[in-house]
Amino acid sequence: MILLKSRQEIEQMRAASTIVAQILDEVASRVRPGVTTAELDALAEELTLEKGARPAFKGYTVAGRVYPASICISINDEVVHGVPTTKAVLRAGDIVGLDFGVCYRGYFGDAARTVPVGRVAPEAERLMEVTAAALHAGIEAVRPGAHVGDISAAIQDAVEAAGFSVVREFVGHGIGRNLHEDPQVPNYRTGARGVRLQEGLVLAIEPMVNAGGPEVYVKEDGWTAATRDGRLSAHFEHSVAVTGNGPYILTLP
Ligand code: MF3
Ligand code: CO
């Protein structure tokens, strides 16, 4: 079931999404060698509560498994859903995916970005640039009358033209009064056009891109997805509303 949002609801979602973007900025600014992912999680949670919002991921349950933290932090070969821990200490040369969402006054915002820890290898730099560019190529496909499949194709083409691969197991999604709503937004062609985009649809578009092959596995913690081949992965996400004028990116600070 597709739930369309009024202009007023989209402004409420913009408020939730602004909080997400501001907190991601703050967390990203604290990324440096020696910091643990548990420290970054505590910061994200504290800032969320300060703003009168609620962390969207904490307590989120998939197949009986409860996500235990406020933010997902995925390092290097980790793709998504990395669980913060005092054992994960950031080191210079790492790349770190920060995926964060809040619920504010009944509406959700969801965004992600991947940032370097100090100086990183040229391939890591290029992977982050290509993934961010793929997200923006997907966003540029957003307009009334286009289809979800146009977003998927634009992302896949941007990634594969750079020689990288798109993760299949995780996809973007509708967002609103729920963190995950219909439709799914794959980052690759599925053979279907997908639903037609219309004003009031709000989508979380979130390519996950691997430097090597697309295959992933889930680690023993039951959450953290990582690349099969151990090579790097990057993740960028924005919550985006479809308007008559095209895409309205909600998760900008
Ligand atoms: N951005 C991710 C998503 O939309 C975050 C979910 S994290 C979870 O699926 F841990 F809460 F599942
Ligand atoms: Co999401």
Side-chain angles (χ1 to χ4, degrees):
M1 187 189 38
I2 306 276
L3 299 167
L4 299 177
K5 283 84 189 177
S6 67
R7 284 187 195 199
Q8 189 195 327
E9 285 182 289
I10 287 172
E11 284 315 309
Q12 290 176 276
M13 294 191 67
R14 168 68 179 149
S17 298
T18 302
I19 293 172
V20 171
Q22 288 170 338
I23 293 175
L24 274 176
D25 273 358
E26 188 62 37
V27 172
S29 78
R30 305 287 189 95
V31 165
R32 59 176 64 103
V35 170
T36 69
T37 57
E39 291 171 309
L40 298 175
D41 180 59
L43 173 67
E45 177 159 335
E46 180 190 319
L47 294 172
T48 303
L49 300 177
E50 238 170 55
K51 290 180 188 290
R54 168 171 81 75
F57 303 165
K58 196 167 192 167
Y60 190 87
T61 303
V62 179
R65 240 174 231 290
V66 182
Y67 189 74
S70 293
I71 187 169
C72 300
I73 306 183
S74 307
I75 305 172
N76 295 335
D77 61 308
E78 295 174 352
V79 175
V80 277
H81 301 168
V83 180
T85 148
T86 54
K87 295 199 175 83
V89 183
L90 302 184
R91 295 171 308 179
D94 288 344
I95 61 170
V96 182
L98 305 170
D99 183 359
F100 182 61
V102 305
C103 182
Y104 181 67
R105 299 187 175 171
Y107 289 90
F108 286 84
D110 185 8
R113 59 177 87 150
T114 301
V115 299
V117 185
R119 276 173 65 92
V120 303
E123 186 185 58
E125 203 62 70
R126 197 168 72 87
L127 179 66
M128 292 187 288
E129 280 168 18
V130 166
T131 308
L135 168 59
H136 286 282
I139 291 171
E140 277 171 27
V142 170
R143 56 173 178 78
H147 293 76
V148 166
D150 299 321
I151 301 172
S152 307
I155 291 172
Q156 181 174 18
D157 288 348
V159 170
E160 292 180 356
F164 295 141
S165 64
V166 169
V167 171
R168 306 302 205 260
E169 282 81 355
F170 304 98
V171 297
H173 49 93
I175 182 167
R177 286 190 166 276
N178 307 285
L179 175 61
H180 294 137
E181 296 184 356
D182 289 341
Q184 293 198 346
V185 184
N187 299 302
Y188 55 93
R189 288 180 179 79
T190 63
R193 256 170 137 190
V195 309
R196 200 181 144 91
L197 305 183
Q198 49 182 322
E199 252 186 278
L201 186 61
V202 185
L203 301 173
I205 305 175
E206 51 177 320
M208 285 141 272
V209 176
N210 293 353
E215 301 83 10
V216 303
Y217 73 99
V218 176
K219 294 188 172 179
E220 298 90 275
D221 63 15
W223 283 103
T224 309
T227 60
R228 269 264 160 245
D229 60 14
R231 293 182 64 185
L232 298 176
S233 188
H235 180 206
F236 283 81
E237 175 178 20
H238 274 307
S239 299
V240 180
V242 183
T243 78
N245 303 322
Y248 174 19
I249 303 177
L250 302 177
T251 37
L252 290 175

